[in-house]
């Protein structure tokens, strides 16, 4: 089974990562040496290897399609980008984390600098046709089963989504099995029937659950609250990328959207951390990607991400691969705990708050490992170390979301435009006040001069 994971990765993820890395390097004028180091960092990402190869998952297939979609969009091939992204969505619905950013980017390209209706229609048609091709086997299979009476549609429990449709559907109609199959697929894609989080995951809801139990509430209010929080968290990224639909901003928007979904969406699994980490790590191949600031932040996010996976990996007896891969990756990028040079040298250019923040989290991770290994938790709190892991991880991921969102907004130029306009408006206002003051002075001088002239005429 692990061999199938390796083969599928080499068929999708590895080629897509190479193409994206080379495309980004050419677009941003990055040297081949730096680009190669960044590519190794992407392919050796410890969280991805541990989850897929050790925990046995196929996330790299979905991530490979995402990278192929990003590479196509960087090359200006928007239609191929839509095809690859639909493939990622249909392979694993977790790719929905990126969908708001992708949609906003494509919408911005269709509307700015002026409306491009043919492009919008082409993107819509290609997306719909791609989904139709993906769902065709399910639809045809349901029709075949219905015809052969293998698994009659009337014997299947109606999904909640279909039961809420105000129109009464005829269960004997030829199209009913297709509608039922699509409704079941959507019900599984949006698992609102489960809890708000899966196991103990380092997101906001699980961390908040430690101080206020969320299981006392029913599912519907939790759905509304989490959906609202997720929408608010992804709104800055979507508004920015739709207003400034530039290629180099797309990975930043996808990273911000991924962090927003991971932190605040409904039903999050530990392995979902791979989604916000992918576009962040891919940015190592951009200009300045191996510089101190980018390397420190992206490396810190990856080390924190794989650290939050340790309780899951521990259950699978993966302690040794965890330490080997994470320390090897840290050594490759010159990061703690293998090296502190990036935080101790003055030439790094990192601000003091950034240094203190990162070093504090690294120290917390190291101390946590010692406590987890040698100190038994209290009898009444057997999950104490796991809960601490969740709280620390959620706080760090919240900082990652803020950093990615800030980088997107800052690099878009919207702040320069805003402050530039504001400065010009303030300058015009000052000039207007000066003109008003000058006019008032001239009027006073004229008023003072007028009586003197009248007195001269009277004399």
């Amino acid at each position: 089974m692990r061999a199938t994971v390796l083969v599928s990765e080499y068929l999708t993820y590895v080629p897509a990562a190479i193409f994206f890395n080379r495309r980004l390097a050419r677009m941003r004028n990055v040297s081949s040496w730096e680009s190669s180091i960044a590519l190794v960092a992407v392919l050796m990402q410890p969280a991805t290897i541990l989850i897929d190869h050790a925990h046995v998952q196929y996330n790299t297939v979905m991530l490979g399609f995402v990278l192929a979609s990003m590479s196509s969009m960087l090359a200006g091939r928007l239609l191929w980008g839509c095809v690859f992204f639909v493939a990622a969505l249909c392979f694993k619905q977790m790719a929905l984390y990126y969908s708001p950013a992708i949609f906003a980017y494509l919408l911005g390209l269709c509307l700015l600098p002026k409306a491009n209706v043919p492009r919008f229609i082409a993107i819509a048609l290609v997306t719909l046709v791609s989904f139709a091709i993906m769902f065709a086997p399910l639809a045809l299979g349901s029709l075949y089963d219905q015809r052969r009476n293998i698994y009659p549609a009337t014997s299947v429990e109606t999904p909640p989504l279909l039961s809420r449709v105000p129109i009464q559907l005829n269960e004997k109609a030829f199209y009913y099995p297709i509608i039922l199959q699509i409704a079941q697929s959507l019900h599984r894609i949006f698992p609102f029937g489960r809890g708000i989080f899966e196991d103990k995951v380092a997101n906001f809801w699980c961390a908040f659950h430690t101080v206020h139990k969320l299981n006392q509430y029913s599912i519907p209010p939790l759905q509304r609250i989490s959906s609202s929080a997720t929408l608010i968290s992804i709104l800055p990224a979507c508004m920015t990328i739709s207003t400034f639909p530039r290629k180099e901003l797309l990975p930043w928007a996808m990273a911000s959207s991924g962090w927003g979904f991971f932190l605040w969406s409904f039903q999050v699994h530990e392995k979902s951390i791979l989604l916000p980490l992918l576009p962040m790590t891919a940015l190592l191949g951009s200009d300045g990607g191996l510089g101190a600031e980018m390397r420190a932040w992206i490396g810190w996010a990856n080390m924190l991400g794989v650290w939050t996976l340790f309780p899951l990996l521990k259950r699978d007896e993966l302690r040794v691969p965890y330490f080997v891969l994470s320390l090897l990756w840290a050594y490759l990028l010159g990061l703690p705990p293998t090296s502190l040079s990036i935080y101790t040298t003055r030439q790094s250019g990192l601000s003091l708050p950034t240094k203190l923040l990162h070093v504090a989290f690294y120290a917390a991770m190291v101390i946590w490992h010692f406590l987890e290994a040698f100190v038994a938790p209290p009898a009444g709190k057997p999950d104490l170390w796991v809960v601490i892991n969740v709280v620390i991880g959620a706080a760090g991921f919240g900082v990652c979301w803020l950093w990615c969102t800030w980088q997107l907004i800052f690099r878009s130029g919207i702040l320069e435009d805003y402050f530039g306009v504001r400065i010009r408006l303030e300058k015009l206002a000052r000039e207007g006040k000066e003109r008003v003051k000058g006019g008032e002075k001239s009027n006073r001088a004229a008023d003072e001069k007028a009586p003197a002239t009248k007195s001269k005429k009277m004399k």
Side-chain angles (χ1 to χ4, degrees):
M1 191 171 180
R2 284 187 171 89
T4 61
V5 174
L6 187 63
V7 171
S8 62
E9 179 176 320
Y10 272 91
L11 290 176
T12 55
Y13 184 70
V14 173
I18 294 173
F19 280 117
F20 175 82
N21 182 267
R22 295 291 182 257
R23 179 77 61 186
L24 186 63
R26 286 197 299 268
M27 189 179 74
R28 307 302 295 174
N29 296 321
V30 179
S31 66
S32 59
W33 174 249
E34 292 180 345
S35 176
S36 299
I37 295 175
L39 178 61
V40 173
V42 172
L43 296 178
M44 290 292 294
Q45 195 177 10
T48 304
I49 294 177
L50 288 169
I51 289 295
D52 272 31
H53 293 267
H55 193 61
V56 188
Q57 297 281 326
Y58 295 89
N59 298 291
T60 49
V61 177
M62 177 265 295
L63 296 175
F65 284 131
V66 170
L67 283 173
S69 176
M70 294 170 63
S71 180
S72 298
M73 291 184 185
L74 291 184
R77 302 185 182 97
L78 302 180
L79 301 183
W80 276 110
C82 295
V83 171
F84 286 124
F85 189 69
V86 169
L89 276 172
C90 293
F91 189 85
K92 275 203 170 185
Q93 70 269 24
M94 289 194 306
L96 282 168
Y97 283 28
Y98 302 131
S99 56
I102 296 289
F103 173 79
Y105 174 70
L106 295 175
L107 183 63
L109 290 176
C110 293
L111 296 179
L112 298 173
K114 62 180 181 179
N116 192 331
V117 178
R119 173 183 287 174
F120 178 81
I121 295 174
I123 290 174
L125 286 176
V126 168
T127 303
L128 291 174
V129 170
S130 300
F131 273 115
I133 293 173
M134 290 294 180
F135 277 88
L138 291 175
L140 295 176
S142 62
L143 289 176
Y144 178 83
D145 292 344
Q146 181 73 7
R147 182 178 179 182
R148 297 281 182 169
N149 203 28
I150 298 175
Y151 200 62
T154 54
S155 64
V156 179
E157 184 180 354
T158 305
L161 180 64
L162 195 59
S163 61
R164 296 174 185 174
V165 175
I167 303 173
Q168 185 66 30
L169 297 175
N170 184 9
E171 295 184 0
K172 296 182 180 180
F174 74 94
Y175 56 81
Y176 183 76
I178 299 176
I179 297 177
L180 181 64
Q181 187 68 259
I182 295 175
Q184 285 180 328
S185 300
L186 293 176
H187 177 65
R188 294 181 180 275
I189 290 173
F190 301 98
F192 287 124
R194 304 180 189 176
I196 193 169
F197 53 84
E198 183 78 15
D199 204 2
K200 288 181 174 60
V201 57
N203 74 343
F204 172 80
W205 302 116
C206 190
F208 186 69
H209 182 74
T210 61
V211 295
H212 184 77
K213 301 306 177 185
L214 297 176
N215 52 11
Q216 61 182 308
Y217 302 104
S218 59
I219 296 296
L222 294 178
Q223 289 178 5
R224 290 191 290 269
I225 293 173
S226 64
S227 299
S228 301
T230 305
L231 179 62
I232 293 171
S233 67
I234 65 175
L235 201 57
C238 293
M239 292 181 65
T240 303
I241 195 65
S242 62
T243 308
F244 301 91
R246 301 204 302 267
K247 299 175 183 178
E248 66 271 15
L249 298 179
L250 182 59
W252 292 106
M254 294 175 67
S256 177
S257 178
W259 284 119
F261 269 91
F262 181 83
L263 285 168
W264 287 285
S265 65
F266 194 91
Q267 239 296 309
V268 176
H269 194 276
E270 296 101 320
K271 63 187 177 184
S272 301
I273 192 62
L274 302 179
L275 284 103
L277 288 179
L278 173 67
M280 277 191 77
T281 311
L283 283 167
L284 288 171
S286 181
D287 51 327
L290 294 179
E293 182 182 7
M294 292 273 287
R295 185 160 48 92
W297 278 98
I298 295 172
W300 174 68
N302 274 274
M303 294 301 292
L304 184 63
V306 72
W307 176 72
T308 59
L309 293 173
F310 181 79
L312 174 67
L313 300 172
K314 178 184 175 181
R315 292 198 294 267
D316 292 339
E317 299 295 333
L318 296 173
R319 294 182 185 87
V320 173
Y322 161 82
F323 284 110
V324 170
L325 286 172
S326 57
L327 292 177
L328 179 63
W329 198 83
Y331 177 77
L332 172 67
L333 293 180
L335 298 170
T338 60
S339 174
L340 292 173
S341 60
I342 194 171
Y343 297 107
T344 55
T345 57
R346 295 182 179 180
Q347 292 79 9
S348 65
L350 293 174
S351 64
L352 182 61
T354 298
K355 293 180 179 180
L356 294 177
L357 176 71
H358 288 189
V359 172
F361 271 89
Y362 280 118
M365 286 187 273
V366 173
I367 294 171
W368 182 90
H369 272 301
F370 276 101
L371 292 175
E372 188 273 336
F374 301 109
V375 180
K381 298 179 180 179
D383 295 331
L384 177 63
W385 304 132
V386 180
V387 170
I388 293 176
N389 180 290
V390 166
V391 173
I392 295 175
F397 294 152
V399 175
C400 290
W401 170 72
L402 289 173
W403 183 74
C404 289
T405 305
W406 164 251
Q407 288 292 324
L408 171 64
I409 295 174
F410 178 76
R411 292 168 184 269
S412 69
I414 190 173
L415 296 178
E416 296 178 4
D417 294 342
Y418 170 74
F419 287 112
V421 171
R422 186 173 179 180
I423 291 172
R424 287 195 296 270
L425 289 176
E426 291 177 353
K427 183 177 179 181
L428 292 174
R430 285 197 300 269
E431 292 177 353
K433 289 180 180 179
E434 291 175 357
R435 285 196 297 269
V436 171
K437 289 180 180 179
E440 291 177 352
K441 289 180 180 179
S442 61
N443 290 336
R444 283 199 299 271
D447 293 340
E448 292 174 357
K449 186 177 181 181
T453 306
K454 290 181 179 178
S455 61
K456 287 181 180 180
K457 288 183 179 179
M458 290 177 65
K459 291 179 180 180

